[in-house]
Amino acid sequence: MQICYYPGCTLKSKAVDLDIQARKIAEKFGIEMVDIDKWQCCGAEYPTAPNETATKLSAVRALNYAKSHGGKLLTLCSACHNVLKRVNEDMRTNEKTIMKANIYLELNPEYRGETEVIHYLEMLKNIVGFDKIKSMVVKPLNRKVAAYYGCLLLRPSNVMKFDNPENPTILEDLIVALGGTPVKYSHKNECCGAYVSIKSPDLAKKKSQSITDDAKAFGADELITACPLCYYNLKKNCGENLKISYFTALMMEALGIDG
Amino acid sequence: MDKNDFLELANTDVKKCMKCGKCSARCPSFDEMDIKPHQFVSYLAEGKIDKLLVSKSIWTCLSCLACVERCPRGVAPQSVIEAIRDTVTRKAGANGLSAEDIPPILDDDVPQQLLVAAYRKYNK
Ligand code: SF4
Ligand code: SF4
């Protein structure tokens, strides 16, 4: 099976491991991730002002491409997922944005949010299935792993509809499938400091530390994330206290896939 | 710009706010804010926009949306903060981050996502 995939700029450079590992894991389950044609940066942050249209166009272009190429658009970076999913909601519900974006991009037929945006973790859960993953584990993790969600996959929950926004479990379920023990801790949905690490590094440091301190206090040997910015902030500020990994690295290990 | 322009830009119904303070209680940046998230909502409702336009909170909001998620009345404090920040940064010469600010903070691992996100939030 093939699926349209939106890699985004970070996964083509600083987080290339995440991209490569995700493709190899998908292949193992018979799924080929096909980059969409001529994708452009999604902008990384969804603009909330209603008069921001130009900043949403690259997302609309990608969504419109996927519409006629299988109808699904797979994402992996949490920021891309947040932007694409929220812009898609606008293209379904906000007549002004629908009109302006279609005029700008000269789309014929019009794009009206038909594409389904799915995150890689949702693909693992709903298309592959955690039971299937479990059945293919060759080297169970046998350690305590903290699942870290951050903000972008979960909020706003009325649009993202990713999981329970206050107590998500998809990553914990994956850890269990891989033979690890998920750690219960309170900071799994806290913000790592996000983009303020550029303007106020001390604030980002404080936020990142509160997360890893909490995970460690509850016995974590390692913390996993799906977001390159969380990965950067946590690793830079707390990498010496706790091992920080992409969730795909754990999957490679447990499924015995060569890196 | 008058109050109505700001209401339109914020795109959330500030009149619905019941001043419970849940948004501010949940905000991870609360300690770093001179004006708190619930105050952004009530100041806008009361038309005290001049105060908001000089607030330092627009630079410390993380856009984490915890306030939006917790509001029992469906108000989006983060959108009010973003409307104020957009208004400030859309003025010539008022960007919160310039290209010259970037090289000193670059390290080998800075993801593109960070640069793009910071630019989108702090620059217009
Ligand atoms: S979005 Fe901003 S104001 Fe709202 S909780 Fe997060 S940091 Fe606080
Ligand atoms: S949580 Fe909602 S209702 Fe309560 S103070 Fe904040 S904006 Fe107002």
Side-chain angles (χ1 to χ4, degrees):
Chain A
M1 158 188 172
Q2 287 191 333
I3 189 161
C4 271
Y5 167 55
Y6 181 93
C9 31
T10 311
L11 271 68
K12 285 292 181 192
S13 46
K14 296 294 176 185
V16 73
D17 287 358
L18 179 58
D19 177 84
I20 292 172
Q21 290 169 355
R23 287 176 199 270
K24 286 190 176 167
I25 296 160
E27 250 169 53
K28 183 124 187 148
F29 295 106
I31 297 171
E32 187 193 347
M33 294 157 58
V34 185
D35 291 14
I36 62 165
D37 201 28
K38 299 192 190 108
W39 60 269
Q40 293 170 309
C41 174
C42 68
E45 280 285 337
Y46 172 86
T48 56
N51 56 8
E52 292 267 347
T53 304
T55 37
K56 293 176 182 167
L57 294 179
S58 65
V60 178
R61 200 175 282 122
L63 291 159
N64 183 59
Y65 179 89
K67 175 184 161 185
S68 54
H69 292 79
K72 283 189 172 60
L73 185 56
L74 180 71
T75 59
L76 180 51
C77 167
S78 304
C80 297
H81 183 66
N82 189 282
V83 172
L84 289 166
K85 189 124 187 186
R86 293 173 78 185
V87 169
N88 205 36
E89 180 73 6
D90 288 343
M91 293 304 291
R92 231 195 305 263
T93 57
N94 186 322
E95 283 302 329
K96 264 193 188 161
T97 308
I98 295 170
M99 183 189 74
K100 283 190 199 163
N102 277 294
I103 290 174
Y104 271 124
L105 296 173
E106 298 179 349
L107 299 181
N108 184 19
E110 277 198 334
Y111 182 73
R112 289 187 158 263
E114 293 91 342
T115 296
E116 185 193 357
V117 181
I118 59 168
H119 188 264
Y120 191 88
L121 285 164
E122 293 173 319
M123 178 185 83
L124 291 179
K125 183 182 174 191
N126 301 327
I127 299 178
V128 176
F130 288 151
D131 287 345
K132 170 88 180 163
I133 294 173
K134 190 176 175 186
S135 73
M136 287 171 74
V137 167
V138 293
K139 191 170 165 275
L141 294 175
N142 283 330
R143 58 181 182 270
K144 290 185 175 170
V145 184
Y148 175 64
Y149 294 85
C151 315
L152 295 166
L153 291 176
L154 301 171
R155 298 188 283 267
S157 62
N158 60 344
V159 177
M160 300 311 292
K161 299 189 176 81
F162 182 76
D163 201 341
N164 180 328
E166 298 286 354
N167 189 21
T169 57
I170 188 168
L171 278 171
E172 280 88 343
D173 295 345
L174 178 64
I175 292 166
V176 170
L178 299 174
T181 308
V183 174
K184 276 199 179 126
Y185 71 117
S186 67
H187 277 48
K188 65 181 178 179
N189 307 343
E190 282 298 317
C191 180
C192 68
Y195 55 83
V196 300
S197 55
I198 238 172
K199 226 175 135 61
S200 321
D202 291 345
L203 173 54
K205 189 171 188 166
K206 213 158 94 184
K207 292 295 120 189
S208 291
Q209 274 172 349
S210 71
I211 294 159
T212 51
D213 284 354
D214 186 46
K216 269 197 82 153
F218 285 91
D221 299 316
E222 188 171 355
L223 178 147
I224 54 165
T225 175
C227 176
L229 182 49
C230 298
Y231 181 84
Y232 171 78
N233 279 338
L234 294 172
K235 197 155 176 141
K236 182 176 176 183
N237 293 311
C238 321
E240 282 163 17
N241 297 328
L242 186 62
K243 188 172 182 211
I244 313 292
S245 307
Y246 287 119
F247 71 97
T248 48
L250 263 66
M251 296 190 73
M252 297 285 282
E253 180 189 330
L255 296 168
I257 305 172
D258 290 335
Chain B
M1 280 174 76
D2 63 16
K3 182 181 163 187
N4 283 330
D5 295 325
F6 282 97
L7 287 171
E8 199 183 318
L9 198 56
N11 199 24
T12 185
D13 191 353
V14 292
K15 289 195 303 302
K16 278 199 196 155
C17 171
M18 60 181 184
K19 303 195 177 178
C20 66
K22 276 205 164 77
C23 49
S24 292
R26 177 63 180 85
C27 176
S29 234
F30 183 86
D31 291 344
E32 333 284 331
M33 291 188 169
D34 50 1
I35 298 180
K36 312 297 183 188
H38 72 286
Q39 293 174 308
F40 268 81
V41 175
S42 59
Y43 284 16
L44 174 54
E46 294 158 16
K48 295 185 202 157
I49 290 148
D50 289 353
K51 281 193 175 163
L52 297 179
L53 286 170
V54 294
S55 169
K56 289 197 290 289
S57 307
I58 58 170
W59 310 117
T60 51
C61 168
L62 310 167
S63 298
C64 72
L65 301 189
C67 52
V68 180
E69 199 63 46
R70 283 285 169 92
C71 176
R73 300 282 295 156
V75 183
Q78 182 262 347
S79 300
V80 180
I81 297 175
E82 183 148 329
I84 299 294
R85 189 177 47 242
D86 282 348
T87 306
V88 170
T89 55
R90 281 173 184 178
K91 285 209 181 84
N95 279 329
L97 189 71
S98 69
E100 296 78 56
D101 296 335
I102 303 283
I105 44 178
L106 274 185
D107 60 47
D108 284 348
D109 301 320
V110 166
Q112 284 69 14
Q113 180 191 350
L114 171 52
L115 299 173
V116 176
Y119 249 82
R120 178 157 281 187
K121 290 292 177 182
Y122 297 141
N123 263 48
K124 287 290 169 198

